[in-house]
Amino acid sequence: MSSNQTYKDCHIHIIPLNKIKYEFRKVLLTKQSKNYEEICSSPSKLIEAMDNANLEKVAIMSYPSPETHGMGMDLVYFVIDYCSEYRDRLHPVGSIHPSMDIKEIVEHLERQYSELVALKLHPVHQHFKPNDYRSEERNMKSLEVVYEFASDNNLPILFHTGTSILPNARVKFGDPLYLDDVANDFPKLKIILAHGGRPFWMDKAFFIMRRFKNVWLDISGIPPKRLLDYFPRFEVIAERCIYGSDLPSPGVKGLKENLEEFLSLQIPEELKERIAIKNFDKVYRV
Ligand SMILES: [Zn+2]
């Protein structure tokens, strides 16, 4: 690919670091923390880092989680606000908390959705199963409301799948198999499996991807050079994969380093172009 080619990162986090719980911040901030702190306090610093990494666009996650980082819906509105100055390059991903009552959920969805490229739900940090709306589970109608709203408004929902080592994360909720129900019951909903069930549910994520053509895989949080070990039959699902880094999760070296590692993989150039450029606009509501 030519040297002036630019790419897209579908999954990073920007957090007001002074507002999250101390224990959470401590695990989050690794060696690259100095630069990351600057980035979180100023969108222009992020733009600088993106230019340096040849990134044209990024999508920025947000979700309330009193259970882990300690913030509520204020994190969602912080991210929307953070993106506002560079709206052509910074794309907010919003959220709600499934434990909120339905009226509150609808109000928050209506307030944020016109700004968003997607919604994110984090079962491991919000302590629920994606299929908890079902009567044989917890009968949580709030989830049904969110899935219907997303389907009707062409908003994909990105679900964290796989583990998390952050304080009070409940890993059991990260099993991708719960999404089998969601994909069955909401056939119009575009579902994105973030992290592909890493590191021990990859086979389930692979199955769900093959079964439902409306399910996509965000490869963020998987060290790029291990991608083909985790997904030995990667070529079967590659067309529905999107590139992301998951900055600043522990183990992610940086926006540029992560992208370069992905681009050095031994897969066809045409696939890299789909995954790290074209699919972003195909999956997200841009
Ligand atoms: Zn993430």
Side-chain angles (χ1 to χ4, degrees), residues 260-273:
E260 283 174 351
E261 203 176 300
F262 170 73
L263 293 174
S264 70
L265 281 181
Q266 299 294 319
I267 57 173
E269 292 299 311
E270 183 267 335
L271 266 188
K272 290 180 196 168
E273 204 175 309

Side-chain angles (χ1 to χ4, degrees), residues 141-173:
K141 292 300 162 203
S142 58
L143 279 173
E144 226 165 56
V145 168
V146 180
Y147 300 158
E148 270 160 17
F149 185 94
S151 293
D152 291 347
N153 289 286
N154 193 29
L155 267 182
I157 302 185
L158 186 145
F159 291 87
H160 175 104
T161 62
T163 58
S164 163
I165 54 162
L166 289 158
N168 207 26
R170 300 302 160 110
V171 172
K172 65 184 174 195
F173 297 120

Side-chain angles (χ1 to χ4, degrees), residues 41 60 120 136 143 270:
S41 58
I60 305 179
K120 165 154 186 178
E136 75 272 24
L143 279 173
E270 183 267 335

Side-chain angles (χ1 to χ4, degrees), residues 6 21 29 34 48 50 62 69 72 76 79 97 99 111 134 149 154 166 173-174 191 220-221 253 262:
T6 55
K21 283 184 190 163
L29 295 180
K34 192 173 169 290
E48 245 174 62
M50 286 165 62
S62 70
H69 56 63
V76 173
V79 167
H97 198 297
S99 71
R111 185 173 156 195
R134 292 192 54 88
F149 185 94
N154 193 29
L166 289 158
F173 297 120
I191 294 171
S220 71
K253 291 180 204 109
F262 170 73

Side-chain angles (χ1 to χ4, degrees), residues 49-105:
M50 286 165 62
D51 287 342
N52 184 41
N54 286 329
L55 283 169
E56 179 198 344
K57 294 178 178 201
V58 299
I60 305 179
M61 303 295 129
S62 70
Y63 57 92
S65 175
E67 296 89 345
T68 61
H69 56 63
M71 289 185 74
M73 287 302 293
D74 45 341
L75 178 57
V76 173
Y77 298 109
F78 167 85
V79 167
I80 290 174
D81 191 49
Y82 181 96
C83 295
S84 59
E85 211 182 319
Y86 299 95
R87 200 53 190 78
D88 51 334
R89 299 186 64 188
L90 309 183
H91 297 278
V93 174
S95 189
I96 52 86
H97 198 297
S99 71
M100 297 184 333
D101 67 48
I102 289 178
K103 187 169 164 279
E104 214 183 338
I105 285 177

Side-chain angles (χ1 to χ4, degrees), residues 11-13 61 120 122 160 195 220 246-247 249:
H11 190 135
I12 74 166
H13 295 263
M61 303 295 129
K120 165 154 186 178
H122 202 315
H160 175 104
H195 326 307
S220 71
D246 203 18
L247 185 88
S249 281

